[in-house]
Amino acid sequence: MSPGRIALYITLSVISLLMVVPFVWMVITSLKSPVEIASQDAGLLPGSWQFSNYVDAFRAAPFATYARNSFIIAISHTVLNVLVASMAGYALARIRFRGSEVIFYLFIAALMIPTYTKVLPEFLIVRFMPLAGGNDILGQGGSGWLDTWWALIIPGAVTPFAVFLFRQFYLDLPVELEEAARLDGLGEFRIYARIMTPQVKPALTTVALLTFESSWNNFLWPLLVTRTDSLRVIQVGLSVFKTENGTQWHFLMAGTTLATLPMVLLFLIGQRYFVQGFATAGLK
């Protein structure tokens, strides 16, 4: 084995260790007692394994409701983003129409806008949505979409990155597939749905995983647009363990571990397509 490859393996091992250590610390801390966490003489592993922390964390807050809300929002975003972005990507890649290049460059420009700079404009749109939440036609007099499912689902439904990724994949498909489908009499939508889209499974999986992960871990937007427990998500729900009297670290780490599990499982299931999707997106 060459010295360069040995150095590469050592570097990758160190980076992997740095990535894993916070997760291991989180799980170990979730199994310690509050006294043990606060003690400076405590060892790395728990003296007594407190598996009851997970049960007590569930009792301390309506986590079942929070998890249900997060799941509904993440699934809605995933379905809408995959469906709408794939249609937009297909149109930009395979259909020639005036202004398509300009529209594509606008999507590229949208990728450069930092997420947090869009929060205030999106909040104002949601707050002053006409004819919603008691608002009149000018968006005055009520609360708009605030504290509703619309505010949680619609603003994050489609992302410019998903449109860009789908366009790159559709560009790689051979034109013979499309021409053969037209000779068989298929319309544009059936070519998109039955011929071309089944060929871009890595893009579908990548967009679905990224969208679900982003939606599941979103904290700021649900915190801004909701005020009732029945619409709060699991990331916002974790904040109940941080009070004026201090942080309940054993409950917080137990809740965080449970909130992380769905994303770890999803990545393990779809990691092959996930890596392939990113690798292929950079070809064109």
Side-chain angles (χ1 to χ4, degrees):
M1 186 179 295
S2 65
R5 186 161 290 274
I6 293 175
L8 175 64
Y9 285 151
I10 293 175
T11 304
L12 291 177
S13 299
V14 171
I15 293 174
S16 301
L17 190 62
L18 290 175
M19 298 294 290
V20 168
V21 164
F23 290 98
V24 174
W25 180 84
M26 175 182 70
V27 175
I28 291 175
T29 305
S30 72
L31 296 170
K32 290 182 176 179
S33 65
V35 175
E36 203 171 5
I37 293 174
S39 174
Q40 296 182 351
D41 300 325
L44 177 62
L45 297 177
S48 61
W49 297 80
Q50 302 290 324
F51 291 99
S52 60
N53 285 344
Y54 287 85
V55 179
D56 294 338
F58 259 97
R59 289 174 179 167
F63 266 99
T65 302
Y66 298 155
R68 180 205 64 187
N69 294 344
S70 291
F71 187 75
I72 291 174
I73 295 167
I75 287 293
S76 301
H77 282 167
T78 302
V79 171
L80 288 171
N81 203 18
V82 168
L83 184 64
V84 178
S86 65
M87 289 183 181
Y90 174 82
L92 291 172
R94 313 300 299 198
I95 301 175
R96 294 289 172 262
F97 59 93
R98 183 177 296 178
S100 62
E101 289 295 323
V102 175
I103 294 174
F104 174 66
Y105 289 132
L106 288 176
F107 274 108
I108 295 296
L111 285 173
M112 310 302 172
I113 301 174
T115 301
Y116 292 105
T117 62
K118 297 183 291 185
V119 170
L120 181 58
E122 288 179 346
F123 179 83
L124 293 176
I125 292 172
V126 167
R127 165 64 181 82
F128 296 105
M129 182 61 61
L131 305 178
N135 281 348
D136 57 22
I137 190 66
L138 299 177
Q140 303 295 324
S143 59
W145 278 354
L146 292 181
D147 210 34
T148 67
W149 286 105
W150 296 106
L152 291 167
I153 293 175
I154 297 301
V158 182
T159 62
F161 174 75
V163 176
F164 167 76
L165 192 67
F166 276 119
R167 177 186 178 274
Q168 301 307 100
F169 269 85
Y170 283 120
L171 279 176
D172 285 339
L173 298 180
V175 70
E176 289 80 8
L177 276 176
E178 190 177 341
E179 291 175 348
R182 294 190 194 283
L183 288 175
D184 288 340
L186 269 64
E188 199 66 54
F189 183 78
R190 294 177 70 186
I191 294 174
Y192 151 78
R194 298 180 57 181
I195 305 299
M196 307 300 269
T197 300
Q199 311 300 321
V200 296
K201 289 178 183 175
L204 295 170
T205 308
T206 302
V207 170
L209 279 173
L210 287 176
T211 307
F212 193 94
E213 183 270 339
S214 174
S215 181
W216 182 270
N217 290 329
N218 196 358
F219 171 78
L220 179 60
W221 183 252
L223 180 66
L224 287 175
V225 300
T226 61
R227 58 176 178 270
T228 57
D229 269 345
S230 61
L231 286 174
R232 287 292 172 93
V233 298
I234 195 165
Q235 304 300 338
V236 178
L238 291 173
S239 62
V240 301
F241 299 127
K242 188 174 183 179
T243 64
E244 294 179 353
N245 298 322
T247 302
Q248 297 172 295
W249 288 107
H250 55 307
F251 288 162
L252 182 60
M253 292 299 106
T256 306
T257 301
L258 293 174
T260 307
L261 278 180
M263 293 315 311
V264 174
L265 292 175
L266 274 178
F267 180 77
L268 291 177
I269 293 172
Q271 61 177 324
R272 182 165 66 91
Y273 289 114
F274 186 74
V275 175
Q276 186 179 351
F278 270 106
T280 310
L283 293 180
K284 283 199 173 185

